Amino acid sequence: DMSEVIRLLKRFSQDTENKISINDFLIFVVAKVLSEQPNINCSLAGEEIIYHRDINIGIAVSIEKGLIVPVLKNANKKSLPILSEETKNLIKLARERKLMPDDYQGGTFTVSNLGMYGIESFTAIINPPEAAILAVGEIKKIPAVIEEEGVEKIEIRSLMKMTLSADHRLIDGVTAANFLKQVKYYLEFPEQPVI
């Protein structure tokens, strides 16, 4: 349920010159959860599982003839406004074909967002040697049952689907589910990761 994120970002937009997008906030949340659950932030090198200290998030960007994945380095160490600014800059450089090799190497986890294309849900292919990728769909306004103080009511809410693809040689289903559960929690209660 992205309703609270949308409200929070509208408030941020009034307070700052830099407009923070939903994708920026999503990357910020993913970086926070990866720092809390480092067993997702891994890759396979031959037969060895490598757990990365750095959290370098790849951002899938559509360009004229395909797709490129620039990497936001040390995403967990950046404030939301800085992360937003750097993400926008990487996307701009990617679309202008001005990325340097270091800009698209060293990723430890990727976020692929097709919501802006009207795609409700999809399954993304893992970007080797990473062990997982998060696929993000469109936010749609849908009637939902909400319970407040023991009373159920129907409200129009902004809902979004996410799918996590994980390499089961490194990440089991429960570990993947716990990761998604925490991402979902921070998106539904967005003040938690910001504070």
Side-chain angles (χ1 to χ4, degrees):
D1 187 341
M2 297 294 285
S3 303
E4 293 303 319
V5 169
I6 291 167
R7 273 195 273 279
L8 181 69
L9 294 183
K10 280 182 184 172
R11 209 170 71 222
F12 277 176
S13 294
Q14 293 169 351
D15 297 341
T16 64
E17 292 177 15
N18 182 20
K19 186 174 186 237
I20 296 168
S21 72
I22 287 172
N23 201 56
D24 298 335
F25 193 82
L26 183 67
I27 292 166
F28 179 76
V29 164
V30 166
K32 179 163 180 60
V33 177
L34 286 171
S35 68
E36 294 171 354
Q37 300 183 25
N39 49 354
I40 298 282
N41 195 45
C42 61
S43 59
L44 193 62
E47 298 294 314
E48 182 184 0
I49 299 174
I50 298 170
Y51 293 95
H52 302 285
R53 287 181 183 217
D54 293 337
I55 295 174
N56 301 330
I57 298 182
I59 308 156
V61 178
S62 172
I63 56 175
E64 190 176 313
K65 292 186 178 178
L67 183 77
I68 192 162
V69 184
V71 176
L72 185 64
K73 304 282 181 18
N74 298 306
N76 60 311
K77 296 179 180 171
K78 299 179 187 328
S79 67
L80 182 54
I82 298 288
L83 185 142
S84 174
E85 187 178 317
E86 287 187 19
T87 299
K88 284 175 180 57
N89 187 49
L90 279 173
I91 291 170
K92 181 177 182 286
L93 290 173
R95 294 205 168 124
E96 293 173 354
R97 297 179 185 265
K98 293 182 179 176
L99 290 172
M100 300 303 288
D102 187 56
D103 292 330
Y104 52 85
Q105 293 175 356
T108 62
F109 185 94
T110 296
V111 173
S112 180
N113 186 343
L114 293 180
M116 67 284 291
Y117 295 101
I119 304 301
E120 191 173 325
S121 66
F122 67 105
T123 304
I125 298 171
I126 298 166
N127 191 14
E130 297 169 18
I133 184 170
L134 184 67
V136 181
E138 175 185 27
I139 297 173
K140 295 182 85 169
K141 291 189 175 188
I142 298 172
V145 176
I146 306 298
E147 186 176 330
E148 288 180 3
E149 299 176 12
V151 177
E152 291 180 344
K153 60 182 179 177
I154 295 177
E155 284 185 8
I156 302 297
R157 305 294 283 194
S158 297
L159 303 181
M160 178 183 81
K161 293 183 180 177
M162 297 181 295
T163 305
L164 181 70
S165 299
D167 185 336
H168 278 254
R169 295 173 299 174
L170 292 78
I171 301 169
D172 65 34
V174 171
T175 302
N178 284 331
F179 173 82
L180 275 177
K181 182 180 177 183
Q182 192 64 24
V183 170
K184 179 181 183 290
Y185 175 78
Y186 283 145
L187 291 174
E188 291 184 345
F189 300 95
E191 307 247 357
Q192 298 291 323
V194 174
I195 295 171

